[in-house]
Amino acid sequence: MASALENFVNSVRTHSSSGLFEELATHLLECDELLNKNWSILDNVLETLNVSQHSLGVLYVLVAKFNCAANLNLDADAIFTLFKDFIEQCDIYQVQLAAHVYYELCHLFTKKIVTQPSCIYALNVLAAAINQIRSSESQLTPIHADLCKLSLKSKCFKVALKYLDTDITSITTASETRVHKPDPNGDAEYFLLYYYYGGMIYTAVKNFERALYFFEACISTPAMAMSYIMLEAYKKFILVSLILHGKIVPIPKYSSQVISRFMKPIAQVYHAVAIAYATASSEELRAVINKFSETFLRDNNMGLVKQVATSLYKKNIQRLTKTFLTLSLSDVASRVQLPTAALAEKYILNMIKSGEIYASINQKDGMVIFKDDPEKYNSSEMFLKIQQDMDKTMNLIKKINVMEEDIILNPMYVKKAIGSQDEDITCQQAKPYSSDPID
């Protein structure tokens, strides 16, 4: 083993045995180049270190090993085993001292494993990695984006939804421990990807309300320049808005001017879909979809666009319930521009089943009878639901109050607030101009 690597191993073992983990974490910040240069003998280094006792040293070696996986001919199974063993055996206190390296290891693992057919088996391992490093269930880490990415690739959403369903109240970033080389752009990238991938997962499971919230969070993130992630989220935001509300939901006022300056002009095709949708004409909407089909296919949004077209048929059927009490299936098909009465019947039955409309179909004469909402809001189930919603609201208010108190007591906020007050006082006490009429 090269003498430099021997010094690395001795330093890791000595500091670890003495419990000087903070000093070791600082020392290892400069060891990246050394480990990458000696990639061919990193296995020898791992044999001399114990994962639970020397977690910091093993962490840096694994990152170098994963970076050089192509040179080492490491296959997906070997990478999976190394990563899984480390996550299960590592000392979390040591890992927290080099959280940015821990995140990088997870990113490298995801990059190597996402192309494999067996990537579904990595979901639980990444979930364990998140659980170890986060301080609370509502804390967002950069690894959340990796978990969502693997979920989309494997088309298995159960594991990721447990994390997506939890509202975020705090964020941890790699820059917190990467003091010598802060990377705010990298932190922002994984933040945006989490909400973008999360919106895609909710769209896949037809939870459009939650999907819209995630896409909105992505595009309303403060930004000085346009992000490709935000642009793609904006396109999907428009389509989900149409499916859910029949129109484009207004962007929050606190959103960056980047949206109006750059994103809207680039996403004109999607705005054309919204304009056609507003006419309530299925034929006109289909014409726009056919005209720009190449764009939708290139953006991988054709499936979502087709759901927009389907939602227009449903919206038009819902409009009929406000005008008619009874209507024949052929009339329904004609008014909503469906090709056959059988297809109209299929739409109506699906909407009745999902609770989108209240109606019944007389099979003898082919008549549809539209009904009012049977819910009287006086059942024990409805009372329980209202009570649960109130509890959620109260818990949210408590969280907001705690977050507000943390901000008010934050030294940086206090310093900025006092500075603003001093500027206001200075302006008020400024001497009047010689030409001031009050002189």
Side-chain angles (χ1 to χ4, degrees):
M1 188 183 300
S3 58
L5 275 184
E6 289 178 354
N7 293 334
F8 169 83
V9 172
N10 291 333
S11 178
V12 170
R13 295 172 67 90
T14 302
H15 282 82
S16 298
S17 61
S18 304
L20 303 175
F21 297 116
E22 293 185 7
E23 289 185 16
L24 177 60
T26 303
H27 171 70
L28 292 178
L29 290 173
E30 307 298 332
C31 292
D32 294 346
E33 186 176 352
L34 168 67
L35 294 172
N36 288 328
K37 282 184 178 179
N38 295 277
W39 57 268
S40 60
I41 53 175
L42 291 179
D43 284 337
N44 297 339
V45 177
L46 287 177
E47 289 176 1
T48 63
L49 300 176
N50 180 279
V51 174
S52 58
Q53 296 176 13
H54 313 118
S55 297
L56 271 169
V58 174
L59 175 61
Y60 272 85
V61 173
L62 286 179
V63 167
K65 194 174 178 68
F66 282 15
N67 272 320
C68 303
N71 297 329
L72 293 167
N73 294 320
L74 273 180
D75 59 15
D77 291 337
I79 291 174
F80 181 86
T81 301
L82 285 169
F83 183 79
K84 182 174 181 290
D85 290 345
F86 178 78
I87 296 301
E88 291 177 348
Q89 301 174 35
C90 71
D91 175 32
I92 191 58
Y93 172 71
Q94 295 185 49
V95 166
Q96 287 174 337
L97 296 174
H100 66 285
V101 187
Y102 183 79
Y103 299 147
E104 185 179 357
L105 179 68
C106 294
H107 299 329
L108 289 171
F109 170 73
T110 302
K111 185 178 179 180
K112 302 296 182 184
I113 213 77
V114 72
T115 57
Q116 304 300 316
S118 59
C119 64
I120 188 173
Y121 298 110
L123 292 175
N124 287 326
V125 183
L126 267 184
I130 292 174
N131 294 338
Q132 287 206 97
I133 199 68
R134 65 179 180 176
S135 60
S136 67
E137 289 188 357
S138 60
Q139 185 178 59
L140 177 64
T141 73
I143 315 173
H144 280 70
D146 294 325
L147 179 64
C148 292
K149 183 177 182 178
L150 282 181
S151 295
L152 285 167
K153 182 65 176 180
S154 63
K155 298 181 181 179
C156 178
F157 308 127
K158 184 177 180 181
V159 177
L161 284 171
K162 293 179 182 178
Y163 297 88
L164 293 170
D165 289 340
T166 302
D167 290 324
I168 301 301
T169 59
S170 64
I171 303 171
T172 180
T173 66
S175 296
E176 293 174 8
T177 55
R178 192 196 280 119
V179 180
H180 67 308
K181 292 180 181 179
D183 183 18
N185 292 332
D187 294 331
E189 177 185 357
Y190 290 107
F191 175 86
L192 293 174
L193 283 174
Y194 168 71
Y195 281 100
Y196 177 61
Y197 290 151
M200 292 177 67
I201 289 173
Y202 277 122
T203 301
V205 298
K206 308 295 185 184
N207 188 344
F208 294 116
E209 186 172 351
R210 189 74 173 164
L212 188 66
Y213 165 72
F214 267 65
F215 290 135
E216 181 184 287
C218 183
I219 64 178
S220 60
T221 300
M224 297 300 292
M226 188 182 73
S227 162
Y228 183 74
I229 302 169
M230 293 174 70
L231 175 60
E232 293 304 305
Y234 181 66
K235 295 173 182 177
K236 289 179 172 61
F237 173 83
I238 293 174
L239 298 176
V240 173
S241 292
L242 294 175
I243 293 172
L244 193 61
H245 299 291
K247 61 180 180 180
I248 300 178
V249 176
I251 304 295
K253 293 182 179 179
Y254 54 80
S255 300
S256 171
Q257 293 296 320
V258 169
I259 295 177
S260 57
R261 289 182 182 177
F262 301 105
M263 291 189 189
K264 285 185 178 179
I266 295 177
Q268 278 301 317
V269 170
Y270 293 85
H271 282 277
V273 173
I275 293 171
Y277 196 102
T279 65
S281 170
S282 298
E283 292 181 357
E284 188 168 337
L285 178 60
R286 284 198 302 271
V288 172
I289 293 174
N290 291 332
K291 181 179 179 182
F292 300 111
S293 59
E294 290 185 7
T295 301
F296 300 135
L297 288 170
R298 185 176 64 249
D299 293 342
N300 292 317
N301 284 330
M302 182 55 83
L304 198 53
V305 169
K306 289 180 178 179
Q307 292 184 62
V308 171
T310 299
S311 73
L312 182 55
Y313 290 122
K314 292 183 177 181
K315 288 285 192 300
N316 287 337
I317 291 174
Q318 287 175 331
R319 290 189 183 98
L320 295 179
T321 66
K322 299 177 181 179
T323 308
F324 300 95
L325 292 175
T326 60
L327 206 61
S328 68
L329 287 171
S330 58
D331 282 341
V332 172
S334 175
R335 290 176 183 275
V336 301
Q337 299 175 350
L338 283 168
T340 64
L343 190 56
E345 181 180 8
K346 182 180 178 181
Y347 268 91
I348 292 171
L349 288 174
N350 287 335
M351 293 176 72
I352 292 172
K353 185 178 179 180
S354 61
E356 294 175 86
I357 62 171
Y358 302 95
S360 62
I361 300 176
N362 188 328
Q363 295 293 344
K364 290 182 179 180
D365 53 14
M367 296 297 292
V368 182
I369 303 170
F370 297 117
K371 302 176 181 179
D372 294 329
D373 185 354
E375 180 61 63
K376 302 300 181 184
Y377 300 96
N378 57 359
S379 63
S380 57
E381 292 81 6
M382 182 55 65
F383 175 79
L384 180 61
K385 183 181 184 305
I386 294 173
Q387 189 65 43
Q388 291 173 344
D389 289 345
M390 290 175 63
D391 290 341
K392 288 181 181 179
T393 303
M394 294 302 295
N395 289 332
L396 180 60
I397 291 173
K398 289 179 182 178
K399 288 181 180 179
I400 292 174
N401 289 337
V402 171
M403 293 172 69
E404 183 181 19
E405 184 176 348
D406 290 342
I407 292 173
I408 292 175
L409 297 178
N410 187 298
M412 293 180 64
Y413 173 81
V414 172
K415 183 178 179 180
K416 187 173 182 179
I418 292 175
S420 299
Q421 290 179 3
D422 290 343
E423 289 179 4
D424 292 341
I425 294 173
T426 302
C427 291
Q428 292 175 4
Q429 293 179 346
K431 293 182 179 180
Y433 294 109
S434 58
S435 58
D436 198 304
I438 65 173
D439 284 352

